[in-house]
Amino acid sequence: EKDYEDIDVELVEKGTVGLIYLDRPKSLNALSDALMYEVVDACQIFDKMEEVGAIVITGRGKAFAAGADIKEMKDKTFQEAQKSRIFSHWNVLTAVRKPIIAAVNGFALGGGCELAMACDIILAGEKALFGQPEVKLGTIPGIGGTQRLIREVGKSRAMEMILTGEAFMNAQEAAQKGLVSRVVPGDNDALVAEAIQVAKSIAALSRPTIAMAKEAVNAAYELGLSEGIKREHSLFCSTFALEDQKEGMSAFVEKRDAQFKHR
Ligand code: HXC
């Protein structure tokens, strides 16, 4: 157990799920550099821990995250932003092999929306609100917003959100458009409990199989269809080298529950 300042970290479901709370509720969980270094560090540690099968990220209070920390970045010069490769530490998240579930309970604005979209699954609470208000601050989305949002909700809706900085998307619309997988009724606790259940069901499966499934789906973002299908094919063939594939299929034929070794 590590002591973090701006996040809270717990192991739940017998250590199979790593839970991260963004914990700066007074600033609506504004994503300062310090906070994001902690998120990245916790994700890397969970990724290495054998018992952990999936990660949940959520926010304390009324926001998931209201964006990157405006107070921290406001006086940065172009050179400072460029030289420090501002926000590049966030990219570590995309190298995490284990599935990351975002449980979005309130504002997911700017960098908050981008953080959610960098996760593998988004579950929304009834009060979730997604938006990219950066233009109102004289800047633009800077960690994937312009690239990811368009893939999730289409060009017109993404442009409307990014170019007006308003036109926030509520939970219902986000579910209808496919930005989130579904809306979980009830309060924040119900949302987090549901995200943990999804994480737990993933954690019950074979780690290497899940890592390959995630890799194959993510390839769809990077590759054209025929290359993506080739990548899927080689990952699919690779699963036949796993003991867990033998166990999973034998268990089905023998009408019993699979006892995966690598989980
Ligand atoms: C720093 C923030 C913050 C942020 C809120 N706060 N968002 N501090 N960075 N992104 C602080 C406020 O200053 C205030 O602190 C406290 O949180 C509560 O916020 P209020 O505005 O008083 O709350 P409310 O009236 O309920 O309004 C909620 C809100 C508003 C609509 C979400 O806070 C808001 O518009 N926030 C900024 C949203 C935004 O523009 N996000 C994009 C950031 S740019 P004090 O101490 O003043 O009371 C970005 C760039 C991404 O993300 C590019 C690369 C990462």
Side-chain angles (χ1 to χ4, degrees):
E1 289 277 309
K2 237 175 151 173
D3 254 352
Y4 292 112
E5 288 269 314
D6 297 322
I7 64 172
D8 253 0
V9 170
E10 284 173 42
L11 280 169
V12 295
E13 299 295 337
K14 299 188 180 131
T16 61
V17 176
L19 177 58
I20 299 173
Y21 280 98
L22 309 174
D23 191 23
R24 294 180 73 202
K26 284 190 187 134
S27 321
L28 303 182
N29 301 324
L31 304 167
S32 62
D33 272 353
L35 181 147
M36 278 309 297
Y37 272 113
E38 292 185 351
V39 169
V40 162
D41 183 66
C43 285
Q44 284 181 313
I45 289 173
F46 285 146
D47 206 26
K48 284 193 199 119
M49 288 173 74
E50 253 174 55
E51 62 271 36
V52 172
I55 300 165
V56 173
I57 302 180
T58 192
R60 282 222 200 277
K62 68 173 182 176
F64 176 71
D69 192 318
I70 299 167
K71 293 165 192 172
E72 189 175 80
M73 74 183 139
K74 76 183 243 301
D75 295 322
K76 280 209 195 307
T77 64
F78 166 78
Q79 277 92 340
E80 283 165 353
Q82 198 193 44
K83 196 167 163 222
S84 67
R85 295 170 201 266
I86 188 167
F87 302 128
S88 58
H89 53 295
W90 292 46
N91 294 332
V92 174
L93 287 182
T94 60
V96 172
R97 281 184 172 270
K98 289 173 187 168
I100 308 179
I101 301 169
V104 175
N105 44 325
F107 293 115
L109 302 180
C113 187
E114 294 171 300
L115 173 60
M117 290 191 291
C119 296
D120 301 304
I121 298 173
I122 308 177
L123 292 184
E126 286 169 338
K127 292 186 182 146
L129 216 45
F130 299 87
Q132 298 286 167
E134 286 91 342
V135 288
K136 294 190 129 186
L137 303 166
T139 186
I140 69 169
I143 20 171
T146 62
Q147 305 303 299
R148 289 201 176 99
L149 191 60
I150 190 172
R151 289 164 154 96
E152 310 308 336
V153 305
K155 175 179 157 182
S156 182
R157 192 67 177 95
M159 280 288 194
E160 187 188 19
M161 290 167 76
I162 291 167
L163 299 185
T164 67
E166 296 170 350
F168 292 170
M169 187 177 281
N170 65 24
Q172 223 181 346
E173 186 189 349
Q176 183 216 328
K177 295 250 164 48
L179 176 62
V180 307
S181 52
R182 59 201 158 89
V183 184
V184 178
D187 60 8
N188 285 359
D189 291 345
L191 170 68
V192 173
E194 184 60 24
I196 290 171
Q197 283 315 302
V198 175
K200 183 186 168 188
S201 67
I202 293 169
L205 303 169
S206 164
R207 303 273 177 276
T209 302
I210 293 298
M212 285 192 249
K214 171 170 164 165
E215 188 181 334
V217 175
N218 276 335
Y221 276 93
E222 312 293 340
L223 306 174
L225 182 61
S226 56
E227 282 305 309
I229 284 174
K230 274 187 212 156
R231 179 75 61 87
E232 180 193 72
H233 179 74
S234 62
L235 285 162
F236 171 71
C237 291
S238 301
T239 66
F240 286 81
L242 296 172
E243 289 166 281
D244 283 342
Q245 172 272 330
K246 297 290 171 282
E247 168 59 14
M249 293 194 183
S250 301
F252 176 82
V253 172
E254 292 159 19
K255 301 188 190 297
R256 59 176 176 82
D257 287 340
Q259 299 295 322
F260 293 119
K261 200 167 167 191
H262 300 285
R263 66 173 170 197

